[in-house]
Amino acid sequence: MGVVGDVYGPAPRVRELAGAAASRLVSSDPGLSRLRYALGVVASVGVAVGVIFLTLHPTPQVVLLGASAAMVSSSQRFDATRLKRVAVIALLFAPAAFSLTVATLLAERKIIADLVFLAVIFAALCLFGIKLFGQPVGTVAFMMFFFALFIRAKSSELPELYLALAIAITATAVVTGVLSRSTAVPMLGFVRRSYRARLAQALSAAVQLLEAPQPTRADTKRLQRRVTRLHDAALAIEGELASVADGAAADLRRRILGSELAVQRLAGEIGELVRAAAPLAERRPVADQLVELREWIVSGTPAPPQRLAAESVWLDAGPAGPARSTMWAIAEVVDAIELARRPAEDVDLSAYTPPTEPPERTAAEKLPPTVRRAIQATVGCGLAIVAGELLSDQRWYWAVITAFMTFVGTSSAGQTLVKGFRRVVGTLIGVVAGTVVASLLAGHLGLVVAVTFLCVFAGFYALSLSYGLMTFFITVMLGMLYSLLGTFTPELLLLRLEETAIGALAGMAAAVLVVPTTATSAAREATAKVLDRIHQFVGDAVAVLADGDSINLIDAARDIDADLADLHGVAEPIVHRASPLRARRSDTRLSLALLDSAAYHVRAMAANAEVAALAGDDGLVATAGRMRDNLRLLVDSLRADYGQPDRPLRRGASPSSKAGGGARLDERTTRLLDHLDRLDATVTGLARPLGIRIE
């Protein structure tokens, strides 16, 4: 018996641990998008370095240039078809070769080289305004100028450097072409597993909240975070299904949305139950039902167990109040998830094509902010060059790259300040770790190379999670690169920290003092964009419900989600606890909360809308017209930047009271009108934080 236990006993435990690890991976990275991205960068660098070693007799400088070119070109993110992605990557050779040549030939003419570097920086930021290929071309042009300085390239090495560059670009194009092939079938499976895992995590947080003798704010916030992560997983499924031209796929998207909304409603009911201070004895049966629901979800079986399907017995016998409402919400989750699972095998993914780029904005919309950021970046990098050279005439370029990167992906002075601070903190911690690791691995070439690749992977895997964490890994990687070049000293990494601080300060100063865009104005514009989307959505909803038009409301709802996510990023400097704008911080947090609520009701309307469900309904048209007028007033107020417009927001009868003409409506349409009521109230509620009168 002991032998049997020793042989067979650990196996289930190992499988359980492996399953838990896999579930945690897919739940933390919906669609494995971060993993695919980081592996793509590492694969491109690995292939490029391998081919360079096989075809050339390279010096360390040539290898590092090829590896750097592969890393930079493969790390560019843009939405396009596979062929367009490969074509854009192929285009990168020309700007990369130009910057490499100019930086190398002008190395001895310092003032001219600095001026040309600033011209490259200005052109690179201006190129960011060109859709599809602008940002990759601009970033690569800047980075190759930088790396030419980093490896101290000589003109005699240019032929080999060109070959290394060509190999790196080709390797990136090949790896990208392979990884960009249609992967809808396996990726859809991953994101569905991620969704299921995150749903189970949300239910676990709900159980902890209900079973706590004295629920705390931390318990409530944990549940809110898990529901937000569930929403992220639903968006990942949307991304995989967005280009599937198939009726069953569209139906699956709708059902996934329905299950997400049911869980959000359940979280709201649980919150009400806790706020009502229901006794533990009343909360425990609800928690038991949630445990049952979680086990069913984890098992993956299509039909719920009988105990879960028979919750009506408890409902009839149990007490009234919030607990009963919560049980009904659980029943809705059961129905929604059971429905969402059915069509999985019916979805035809054979016609899958990678997502195409979103609609292009006009030149008038893109040019002014792009040019403004280019001017700021050029001034900031100029300051960084001067200050950096005063500190070190050999390593001043670290200050320049910091100043440049603080402007990439930011749209306001506040975002630039936050990004600069995070880069300095990440570099500070990375200097300590890099010094320790490089010292321990000195002389062990294989280990240095392995850790270098590991840092590349970890840095790009962490990029979308934390810019500071990415900076930490890249700083450790640089310690490894200096080891490979035989120039590593702790003082060298300390100099990088000092140059990074100088560059961050230069970038921050330029962002604040040179044609600045404040975080407040950027947030107002981003808020106006979200409200514009909601304005369009309400009009589209009327066209579907009253006029019978065929409009994809789910796509429109997800566009609002995407713009709202951008708004949260733009508003981060305002709502951060360190923000000095306390009054503005409170108003912005309230606006974000209201817009999050509005987006939820928009998704619910999209999930329940039926074509011509309220055909020719004058009440719906009139109410929607008032809502759109209010939304337009809010947008105009935000974009005109005045506090009190000439006319106030108008209240009116609720949509549900005016729509339907007194006729008995089906359950889905009734639910839709309820969410339209709440959307109307949310839009009116925005008047307070935006400083607009209500009539």
Side-chain angles (χ1 to χ4, degrees), residues 261-278:
L261 293 168
V263 173
Q264 289 177 326
R265 178 170 180 257
L266 172 62
E269 293 291 351
I270 290 173
E272 290 294 329
L273 183 62
V274 171
R275 281 190 290 273

Side-chain angles (χ1 to χ4, degrees), residues 66-147:
S68 302
M71 182 175 68
V72 174
S73 58
S74 61
S75 64
Q76 301 307 303
R77 284 178 159 174
F78 52 95
D79 291 328
T81 62
R82 178 161 57 107
L83 291 178
K84 283 186 177 181
R85 288 182 64 85
V86 173
V88 169
I89 291 171
L91 284 175
L92 299 181
F93 178 81
F98 170 79
S99 290
L100 176 63
T101 304
V102 172
T104 302
L105 296 179
L106 295 179
E108 301 301 323
R109 302 184 178 184
K110 201 163 193 58
I111 295 178
I112 297 177
D114 290 348
L115 293 175
V116 172
F117 198 6
L118 291 176
V120 169
I121 290 168
F122 180 82
L125 267 296
C126 285
L127 284 172
F128 277 27
I130 301 176
K131 193 64 184 175
L132 184 61
F133 67 85
Q135 182 160 337
V137 169
T139 303
V140 167
F142 169 83
M143 294 302 293
M144 285 303 100
F145 204 112
F146 165 80
F147 277 113

Side-chain angles (χ1 to χ4, degrees), residues 513-661:
L513 300 175
V514 181
V515 288
T517 299
T518 65
T520 299
S521 62
R524 289 177 73 90
E525 176 56 34
T527 303
K529 186 178 180 182
V530 173
L531 293 174
D532 249 340
R533 291 276 196 191
I534 298 175
H535 177 275
Q536 181 62 43
F537 177 88
V538 173
D540 289 345
V542 172
V544 170
L545 296 166
D547 300 334
D549 291 354
S550 180
I551 300 174
N552 192 327
L553 293 181
I554 291 180
D555 280 348
R558 291 313 190 188
D559 287 340
I560 293 172
D561 284 331
D563 287 341
L564 186 55
D566 292 340
L567 171 58
H568 276 277
V570 170
E572 183 183 10
I574 302 173
V575 300
H576 195 278
R577 67 185 64 180
S579 171
L581 307 173
R582 293 192 176 182
R584 181 68 64 184
R585 179 172 61 190
S586 176
D587 286 343
T588 303
R589 283 178 174 170
L590 178 58
S591 295
L592 290 174
L594 289 169
L595 288 171
D596 285 338
S597 177
Y600 165 71
H601 296 306
V602 162
R603 290 194 297 273
M605 289 174 62
N608 290 285
E610 294 283 1
V611 175
L614 296 167
D617 194 308
D618 294 336
L620 174 65
V621 173
T623 301
R626 176 181 56 77
M627 290 177 64
R628 297 189 81 199
D629 284 344
N630 285 342
L631 286 161
R632 178 50 54 199
L633 180 64
L634 292 172
V635 171
D636 290 344
S637 174
L638 286 163
R639 288 189 169 143
D641 203 20
Y642 59 87
Q644 285 288 345
D646 294 335
R647 57 190 177 86
L649 260 64
R650 292 185 296 129
R651 283 196 180 99
S654 66
S656 58
S657 67
K658 297 194 70 173

Side-chain angles (χ1 to χ4, degrees), residues 149 279 368 385 588 606:
L149 299 173
I385 288 175
T588 303

Side-chain angles (χ1 to χ4, degrees), residues 327-342:
M327 292 298 287
W328 277 118
I330 293 174
E332 283 190 13
V333 174
V334 173
D335 292 341
I337 293 175
E338 187 180 13
L339 190 63
R341 285 179 171 178
R342 290 177 189 170

